[in-house]
Amino acid sequence: MEKDKINGINCDVESCVYNHNSCECTAGRIQVCSTCSEPDCCDETVCKTFKARES
């Protein structure tokens, strides 16, 4: 997926298969969602693109 990556997306989630060198997301597309059910109710988000590395 490296050839499809979006430049400039930083990520520190080392357990994700799309994390390269512990700082760069190599996914070709990302989806980020709010953790709240109501818009503008909190500042927390979750990356729905996350895929765990196999051990």
Side-chain angles (χ1 to χ4, degrees):
M1 175 102 28
E2 185 90 19
K3 68 179 179 71
D4 296 328
K5 77 176 184 174
I6 304 165
N7 291 320
I9 305 297
N10 298 322
C11 178
D12 63 0
V13 181
E14 295 179 20
S15 60
C16 182
V17 298
Y18 299 114
N19 187 305
H20 178 70
N21 291 334
S22 301
C23 65
E24 181 181 21
C25 179
T26 60
R29 161 181 178 272
I30 59 170
Q31 181 179 359
V32 178
C33 299
S34 172
T35 59
C36 301
S37 58
E38 306 260 338
D40 300 325
C41 73
C42 69
D43 294 332
E44 294 189 25
T45 59
V46 64
C47 178
K48 300 291 271 184
T49 308
F50 172 81
K51 183 176 177 184
R53 289 184 193 272
E54 292 183 15
S55 301

